[in-house]
Amino acid sequence: MSPTADDSGPTAPGGTRIAEFEADTRAHRRLYWITEPAELAATVREHTESGRALLAGAATAAGTGAGAGTGAGAVRLALAESLLLMGRVELLGLHDPATARDSLDRAREAAAAAGDPLLEAAALAHSALLAPDRAVGGADTEGGGEAAAALTGARALLTAAGTRAAGVLDWLDAVEAERAVRDGEYARALRLVGRVAEARGRGEANPVPDWLDWCTTARIGMLKGRVQLAAGLVSQARRTLLYAMGGVAADDHGQRALFYAGLAAVESADGQAYESCGYACRAMEHIEAGGDVMGVRGSLAQYLHDSCVEDLYESLALSPAEPATPSDITGVRGSGDKTA
């Protein structure tokens, strides 16, 4: 980071300025969608260390009457957001819950010190995903109690915050749906994700903070498709993912890679190996164009089959992937659904 051009504002040792720190924090929101997890985690970790030094400098300035007390609050808010982002990457991208727990705990502390219950609740809600997955043999009691307590605490914080927390409450339903899938509670997960998808469809009524850019219609659609697939509703998952991907820009390589990986899983579940391979190749194409966002590359190997890999991947390399549109839904086939 470099000093601000006008040399204004409170400073910490080394010339780091509060406005610059806040700007870098905002920039990292987009990096989440275009940067490989290990690289992003290293970047944000360094950034949080700068924030700690900046906070110490602001506190010293306030203690000596230099007027930096209000600046300390701004740093705490930005630091809380950065720690939340780092915890999210560590948990969902690097699959390192132990390290993520420390980051999320520090995010909660910073948000509480800054007086922002929405950020505090978001960090607490992520903690619900740290518990073992009961659906795949995790602990049935201790982990479930930890997750329930985290979600209850987050909801209490948001309820106390009033109407400004309405959009974050929508997102909390998405976190609960994810937790329910991990615990094998598919009917409950379907109810929750249906509710949040409907709420975000009229999202103007429930705005979300700028840092909560995970709660878009397309991203909730991706979650809904994953929940449907987990519940065995294969053709519904296919339709949901194709439709939701219609709202993602063709050059949004990170998001498109995730969608195509999801579609590869759908076709594999439906016994369509060749179609699964094709979607996996599409995902790889977007990864090569935009980075291995959230570590999706590792999940694709199981969907790359036989000689179709060479044929499909060679043809895809010659022409960019075309964006899917809602009209693509008319061509999908296959039932493969269980009753919920």
Side-chain angles (χ1 to χ4, degrees), residues 250-308:
D251 62 352
D252 189 343
H253 299 294
Q255 287 298 289
R256 295 190 77 80
L258 288 169
F259 270 105
Y260 280 124
L263 287 164
V266 166
E267 297 302 342
S268 179
D270 201 26
Q272 305 299 322
Y274 191 85
E275 287 82 352
S276 175
C277 177
Y279 280 129
C281 286
R282 290 278 187 185
M284 291 293 291
E285 181 188 35
H286 283 285
I287 287 171
E288 291 182 0
D292 188 13
V293 178
M294 299 313 294
V296 70
R297 185 191 297 270
S299 70
L300 292 172
Q302 60 186 309
Y303 307 121
L304 296 171
H305 304 289
D306 305 325
S307 61
C308 72

Side-chain angles (χ1 to χ4, degrees), residues 7 89 91 132 151 163 187 203 234 253 255 272 337:
D7 203 34
V89 172
L91 176 62
L151 291 168
T163 56
V234 179
H253 299 294
Q255 287 298 289
Q272 305 299 322
D337 286 356

Side-chain angles (χ1 to χ4, degrees), residues 2-309:
S2 59
T4 53
D6 61 1
D7 203 34
S8 62
T11 65
T16 305
R17 283 155 174 84
I18 291 174
E20 184 185 18
F21 182 76
E22 292 177 302
D24 286 345
T25 300
R26 292 189 295 269
H28 292 161
R29 296 171 190 165
R30 174 160 174 74
L31 288 179
Y32 180 80
W33 303 109
I34 62 175
T35 309
E36 296 185 11
E39 179 182 348
L40 180 58
T43 297
V44 178
R45 190 173 296 113
E46 181 180 357
H47 180 66
T48 60
E49 291 303 317
S50 296
R52 286 205 247 215
L54 183 58
L55 186 60
T60 299
T64 58
T70 56
V75 175
R76 287 192 182 96
L77 279 175
L79 183 59
E81 178 182 337
S82 292
L83 287 165
L84 173 60
L85 179 62
M86 189 162 72
R88 185 175 173 85
V89 172
E90 291 164 344
L91 176 62
L92 302 178
L94 299 177
H95 309 292
D96 184 356
T99 304
R101 185 183 298 276
D102 179 64
S103 297
L104 293 171
D105 285 346
R106 289 194 288 140
R108 287 173 54 195
E109 292 170 3
D116 190 323
L118 274 59
L119 262 171
E120 185 180 358
L124 184 56
H126 275 82
S127 299
L129 302 179
L130 293 169
D133 298 353
R134 298 206 301 272
V136 290
D140 188 41
T141 54
E142 182 179 351
E146 176 188 358
L151 291 168
T152 299
R155 194 168 294 278
L157 283 166
L158 295 174
T159 300
T163 56
R164 68 191 179 100
V168 188
L169 279 165
D170 290 342
W171 168 79
L172 187 60
D173 283 340
V175 179
E176 288 204 48
E178 175 73 37
R179 183 67 251 178
V181 166
R182 295 183 179 204
D183 292 340
E185 300 173 2
Y186 301 124
R188 178 167 173 265
L190 287 166
R191 287 195 300 272
L192 285 163
V193 78
R195 188 165 73 191
V196 70
E198 181 180 354
R200 297 320 301 164
R202 55 175 192 274
E204 297 80 4
N206 292 339
V208 296
D210 290 340
W211 49 263
L212 188 55
D213 60 350
W214 323 310
C215 203
T216 65
T217 302
R219 288 159 191 160
I220 294 300
M222 184 189 300
L223 173 62
K224 184 176 181 180
R226 287 177 45 232
V227 171
Q228 289 169 331
L229 179 59
L233 304 175
V234 179
S235 62
Q236 287 187 29
R238 181 188 291 115
R239 287 192 295 269
T240 297
L241 290 173
L242 285 170
Y243 189 89
M245 191 164 61
V248 179
D251 62 352
D252 189 343
H253 299 294
Q255 287 298 289
R256 295 190 77 80
L258 288 169
F259 270 105
Y260 280 124
L263 287 164
V266 166
E267 297 302 342
S268 179
D270 201 26
Q272 305 299 322
Y274 191 85
E275 287 82 352
S276 175
C277 177
Y279 280 129
C281 286
R282 290 278 187 185
M284 291 293 291
E285 181 188 35
H286 283 285
I287 287 171
E288 291 182 0
D292 188 13
V293 178
M294 299 313 294
V296 70
R297 185 191 297 270
S299 70
L300 292 172
Q302 60 186 309
Y303 307 121
L304 296 171
H305 304 289
D306 305 325
S307 61
C308 72
V309 177

